[in-house]
Every structure is written in structure tokens, then in C-alpha cells.
Amino acid sequence: MINFQYPKITEEMVNIALKLYGSGGTSSKAIVEPYPTAVERLKLAFIEMVNTLPDPTYWQSIEPYEEHKKTVHTSVQRSCCTI
């Protein structure tokens, strides 16, 4: 979970939740990446997405190009899944 308005508060809350819910025994471990790693992965996914369609107002110009549309679609999905 990444919050762009209050990233430091969110990081602290996530760390508290991981300590609280991830320490209740072997079956309750939280399987998540550390907050800084998640933020870096999201940043890289956004960079990839922007590189596939630098100016989103030109989305209609790629309509006839199926391969380019697939590339843009895939990069948007990766960004969404990273969040």
C-alpha cells in the first residue's frame, strides 16, 4: 500500500501493521516487500508506463497499431498490479 499524500505516515502504519499481524505465529506471517522496495517497484512501473505512451493525449493515434496498444495495456496493468 502506497499513499502519495502522506508517504511517511503510511510507511510507519504499514510497518506497525506488519509487526502486529506478522508476529502471531508461523501461519500468520505477512508476505510483502519492505515499503521502500514497493515504492521503487511502483516508480519503475510508472516509468515503463510513461515510456510506452509519453503523451497520454495521443492515445487515439495508436488505435490502428495493435502491438503498440498491447504494449501500453500491459504496462498500465503492471503499474496497477504494483499498487
PDB file of all heavy atoms in Angstrom, residues 53 58-70 72:
ATOM      1  N   LEU A  53       3.776   5.439 -23.664  1.00  0.00           N
ATOM      2  CA  LEU A  53       2.894   6.468 -24.225  1.00  0.00           C
ATOM      3  C   LEU A  53       3.204   7.790 -23.518  1.00  0.00           C
ATOM      4  O   LEU A  53       2.508   8.187 -22.591  1.00  0.00           O
ATOM      5  CB  LEU A  53       1.421   6.092 -24.036  1.00  0.00           C
ATOM      6  CG  LEU A  53       0.398   6.962 -24.765  1.00  0.00           C
ATOM      7  CD1 LEU A  53       0.594   6.899 -26.277  1.00  0.00           C
ATOM      8  CD2 LEU A  53      -1.010   6.543 -24.399  1.00  0.00           C
ATOM      9  N   TYR A  58      -2.347  11.520 -26.832  1.00  0.00           N
ATOM     10  CA  TYR A  58      -2.215  10.926 -28.168  1.00  0.00           C
ATOM     11  C   TYR A  58      -2.662   9.467 -28.225  1.00  0.00           C
ATOM     12  O   TYR A  58      -2.319   8.745 -29.139  1.00  0.00           O
ATOM     13  CB  TYR A  58      -0.768  11.024 -28.654  1.00  0.00           C
ATOM     14  CG  TYR A  58      -0.314  12.432 -28.935  1.00  0.00           C
ATOM     15  CD1 TYR A  58       0.900  12.889 -28.473  1.00  0.00           C
ATOM     16  CD2 TYR A  58      -1.099  13.314 -29.667  1.00  0.00           C
ATOM     17  CE1 TYR A  58       1.323  14.183 -28.719  1.00  0.00           C
ATOM     18  CE2 TYR A  58      -0.689  14.610 -29.914  1.00  0.00           C
ATOM     19  CZ  TYR A  58       0.521  15.044 -29.447  1.00  0.00           C
ATOM     20  OH  TYR A  58       0.937  16.317 -29.679  1.00  0.00           O
ATOM     21  N   TRP A  59      -3.427   9.030 -27.224  1.00  0.00           N
ATOM     22  CA  TRP A  59      -3.834   7.626 -27.199  1.00  0.00           C
ATOM     23  C   TRP A  59      -4.585   7.210 -28.454  1.00  0.00           C
ATOM     24  O   TRP A  59      -4.467   6.079 -28.906  1.00  0.00           O
ATOM     25  CB  TRP A  59      -4.664   7.320 -25.946  1.00  0.00           C
ATOM     26  CG  TRP A  59      -6.001   7.987 -25.918  1.00  0.00           C
ATOM     27  CD1 TRP A  59      -6.301   9.200 -25.384  1.00  0.00           C
ATOM     28  CD2 TRP A  59      -7.219   7.475 -26.451  1.00  0.00           C
ATOM     29  NE1 TRP A  59      -7.625   9.497 -25.556  1.00  0.00           N
ATOM     30  CE2 TRP A  59      -8.226   8.448 -26.204  1.00  0.00           C
ATOM     31  CE3 TRP A  59      -7.578   6.310 -27.114  1.00  0.00           C
ATOM     32  CZ2 TRP A  59      -9.538   8.277 -26.603  1.00  0.00           C
ATOM     33  CZ3 TRP A  59      -8.898   6.142 -27.500  1.00  0.00           C
ATOM     34  CH2 TRP A  59      -9.863   7.115 -27.245  1.00  0.00           C
ATOM     35  N   GLN A  60      -5.339   8.128 -29.041  1.00  0.00           N
ATOM     36  CA  GLN A  60      -6.092   7.774 -30.254  1.00  0.00           C
ATOM     37  C   GLN A  60      -5.171   7.513 -31.442  1.00  0.00           C
ATOM     38  O   GLN A  60      -5.523   6.763 -32.343  1.00  0.00           O
ATOM     39  CB  GLN A  60      -7.087   8.869 -30.602  1.00  0.00           C
ATOM     40  CG  GLN A  60      -8.253   8.928 -29.637  1.00  0.00           C
ATOM     41  CD  GLN A  60      -9.215  10.047 -29.966  1.00  0.00           C
ATOM     42  OE1 GLN A  60      -8.795  11.124 -30.380  1.00  0.00           O
ATOM     43  NE2 GLN A  60     -10.493   9.800 -29.772  1.00  0.00           N
ATOM     44  N   SER A  61      -3.982   8.099 -31.425  1.00  0.00           N
ATOM     45  CA  SER A  61      -3.060   7.909 -32.550  1.00  0.00           C
ATOM     46  C   SER A  61      -2.515   6.485 -32.623  1.00  0.00           C
ATOM     47  O   SER A  61      -2.053   6.057 -33.673  1.00  0.00           O
ATOM     48  CB  SER A  61      -1.902   8.906 -32.474  1.00  0.00           C
ATOM     49  OG  SER A  61      -1.079   8.618 -31.371  1.00  0.00           O
ATOM     50  N   ILE A  62      -2.594   5.746 -31.526  1.00  0.00           N
ATOM     51  CA  ILE A  62      -2.087   4.363 -31.557  1.00  0.00           C
ATOM     52  C   ILE A  62      -3.194   3.352 -31.862  1.00  0.00           C
ATOM     53  O   ILE A  62      -2.931   2.163 -31.961  1.00  0.00           O
ATOM     54  CB  ILE A  62      -1.370   3.976 -30.242  1.00  0.00           C
ATOM     55  CG1 ILE A  62      -2.352   3.886 -29.082  1.00  0.00           C
ATOM     56  CG2 ILE A  62      -0.227   4.923 -29.951  1.00  0.00           C
ATOM     57  CD1 ILE A  62      -1.771   3.250 -27.844  1.00  0.00           C
ATOM     58  N   GLU A  63      -4.411   3.830 -32.035  1.00  0.00           N
ATOM     59  CA  GLU A  63      -5.552   2.945 -32.279  1.00  0.00           C
ATOM     60  C   GLU A  63      -5.307   1.931 -33.396  1.00  0.00           C
ATOM     61  O   GLU A  63      -5.614   0.751 -33.227  1.00  0.00           O
ATOM     62  CB  GLU A  63      -6.803   3.784 -32.570  1.00  0.00           C
ATOM     63  CG  GLU A  63      -8.067   2.972 -32.762  1.00  0.00           C
ATOM     64  CD  GLU A  63      -8.466   2.180 -31.534  1.00  0.00           C
ATOM     65  OE1 GLU A  63      -8.213   2.644 -30.413  1.00  0.00           O
ATOM     66  OE2 GLU A  63      -9.010   1.081 -31.702  1.00  0.00           O
ATOM     67  N   PRO A  64      -4.731   2.302 -34.529  1.00  0.00           N
ATOM     68  CA  PRO A  64      -4.549   1.310 -35.595  1.00  0.00           C
ATOM     69  C   PRO A  64      -3.392   0.335 -35.344  1.00  0.00           C
ATOM     70  O   PRO A  64      -3.238  -0.627 -36.073  1.00  0.00           O
ATOM     71  CB  PRO A  64      -4.271   2.144 -36.841  1.00  0.00           C
ATOM     72  CG  PRO A  64      -4.134   3.548 -36.417  1.00  0.00           C
ATOM     73  CD  PRO A  64      -4.428   3.648 -34.962  1.00  0.00           C
ATOM     74  N   TYR A  65      -2.597   0.560 -34.320  1.00  0.00           N
ATOM     75  CA  TYR A  65      -1.389  -0.245 -34.089  1.00  0.00           C
ATOM     76  C   TYR A  65      -1.601  -1.209 -32.922  1.00  0.00           C
ATOM     77  O   TYR A  65      -1.396  -0.869 -31.764  1.00  0.00           O
ATOM     78  CB  TYR A  65      -0.186   0.665 -33.834  1.00  0.00           C
ATOM     79  CG  TYR A  65       0.021   1.675 -34.928  1.00  0.00           C
ATOM     80  CD1 TYR A  65      -0.365   2.998 -34.754  1.00  0.00           C
ATOM     81  CD2 TYR A  65       0.568   1.298 -36.147  1.00  0.00           C
ATOM     82  CE1 TYR A  65      -0.195   3.929 -35.766  1.00  0.00           C
ATOM     83  CE2 TYR A  65       0.739   2.222 -37.169  1.00  0.00           C
ATOM     84  CZ  TYR A  65       0.353   3.530 -36.976  1.00  0.00           C
ATOM     85  OH  TYR A  65       0.520   4.449 -37.987  1.00  0.00           O
ATOM     86  N   GLU A  66      -2.006  -2.423 -33.261  1.00  0.00           N
ATOM     87  CA  GLU A  66      -2.349  -3.419 -32.240  1.00  0.00           C
ATOM     88  C   GLU A  66      -1.190  -3.718 -31.288  1.00  0.00           C
ATOM     89  O   GLU A  66      -1.382  -3.825 -30.084  1.00  0.00           O
ATOM     90  CB  GLU A  66      -2.826  -4.724 -32.901  1.00  0.00           C
ATOM     91  CG  GLU A  66      -4.204  -4.629 -33.491  1.00  0.00           C
ATOM     92  CD  GLU A  66      -5.266  -4.249 -32.467  1.00  0.00           C
ATOM     93  OE1 GLU A  66      -5.261  -4.774 -31.335  1.00  0.00           O
ATOM     94  OE2 GLU A  66      -6.110  -3.402 -32.811  1.00  0.00           O
ATOM     95  N   GLU A  67       0.010  -3.860 -31.824  1.00  0.00           N
ATOM     96  CA  GLU A  67       1.160  -4.206 -30.986  1.00  0.00           C
ATOM     97  C   GLU A  67       1.452  -3.097 -29.975  1.00  0.00           C
ATOM     98  O   GLU A  67       1.728  -3.366 -28.814  1.00  0.00           O
ATOM     99  CB  GLU A  67       2.396  -4.483 -31.858  1.00  0.00           C
ATOM    100  CG  GLU A  67       3.489  -5.223 -31.131  1.00  0.00           C
ATOM    101  CD  GLU A  67       3.037  -6.572 -30.571  1.00  0.00           C
ATOM    102  OE1 GLU A  67       2.273  -7.294 -31.234  1.00  0.00           O
ATOM    103  OE2 GLU A  67       3.465  -6.899 -29.447  1.00  0.00           O
ATOM    104  N   HIS A  68       1.375  -1.847 -30.428  1.00  0.00           N
ATOM    105  CA  HIS A  68       1.606  -0.724 -29.523  1.00  0.00           C
ATOM    106  C   HIS A  68       0.509  -0.652 -28.458  1.00  0.00           C
ATOM    107  O   HIS A  68       0.786  -0.402 -27.280  1.00  0.00           O
ATOM    108  CB  HIS A  68       1.698   0.586 -30.297  1.00  0.00           C
ATOM    109  CG  HIS A  68       2.260   1.715 -29.487  1.00  0.00           C
ATOM    110  ND1 HIS A  68       2.441   2.960 -29.998  1.00  0.00           N
ATOM    111  CD2 HIS A  68       2.691   1.795 -28.207  1.00  0.00           C
ATOM    112  CE1 HIS A  68       2.946   3.755 -29.067  1.00  0.00           C
ATOM    113  NE2 HIS A  68       3.095   3.064 -27.972  1.00  0.00           N
ATOM    114  N   LYS A  69      -0.727  -0.899 -28.854  1.00  0.00           N
ATOM    115  CA  LYS A  69      -1.825  -0.908 -27.881  1.00  0.00           C
ATOM    116  C   LYS A  69      -1.608  -1.982 -26.825  1.00  0.00           C
ATOM    117  O   LYS A  69      -1.830  -1.749 -25.638  1.00  0.00           O
ATOM    118  CB  LYS A  69      -3.172  -1.133 -28.576  1.00  0.00           C
ATOM    119  CG  LYS A  69      -3.675   0.080 -29.309  1.00  0.00           C
ATOM    120  CD  LYS A  69      -5.130  -0.002 -29.727  1.00  0.00           C
ATOM    121  CE  LYS A  69      -5.523  -1.247 -30.436  1.00  0.00           C
ATOM    122  NZ  LYS A  69      -6.865  -1.229 -31.011  1.00  0.00           N
ATOM    123  N   LYS A  70      -1.139  -3.153 -27.252  1.00  0.00           N
ATOM    124  CA  LYS A  70      -0.868  -4.230 -26.297  1.00  0.00           C
ATOM    125  C   LYS A  70       0.245  -3.838 -25.328  1.00  0.00           C
ATOM    126  O   LYS A  70       0.164  -4.108 -24.132  1.00  0.00           O
ATOM    127  CB  LYS A  70      -0.475  -5.517 -27.023  1.00  0.00           C
ATOM    128  CG  LYS A  70      -1.620  -6.230 -27.668  1.00  0.00           C
ATOM    129  CD  LYS A  70      -1.139  -7.494 -28.351  1.00  0.00           C
ATOM    130  CE  LYS A  70      -2.244  -8.159 -29.123  1.00  0.00           C
ATOM    131  NZ  LYS A  70      -1.778  -9.358 -29.836  1.00  0.00           N
ATOM    132  N   VAL A  72       1.118  -0.765 -24.394  1.00  0.00           N
ATOM    133  CA  VAL A  72       0.589   0.235 -23.462  1.00  0.00           C
ATOM    134  C   VAL A  72      -0.307  -0.438 -22.434  1.00  0.00           C
ATOM    135  O   VAL A  72      -0.184  -0.196 -21.225  1.00  0.00           O
ATOM    136  CB  VAL A  72      -0.169   1.351 -24.220  1.00  0.00           C
ATOM    137  CG1 VAL A  72      -0.905   2.268 -23.248  1.00  0.00           C
ATOM    138  CG2 VAL A  72       0.787   2.155 -25.088  1.00  0.00           C
TER     139      VAL A  72
END
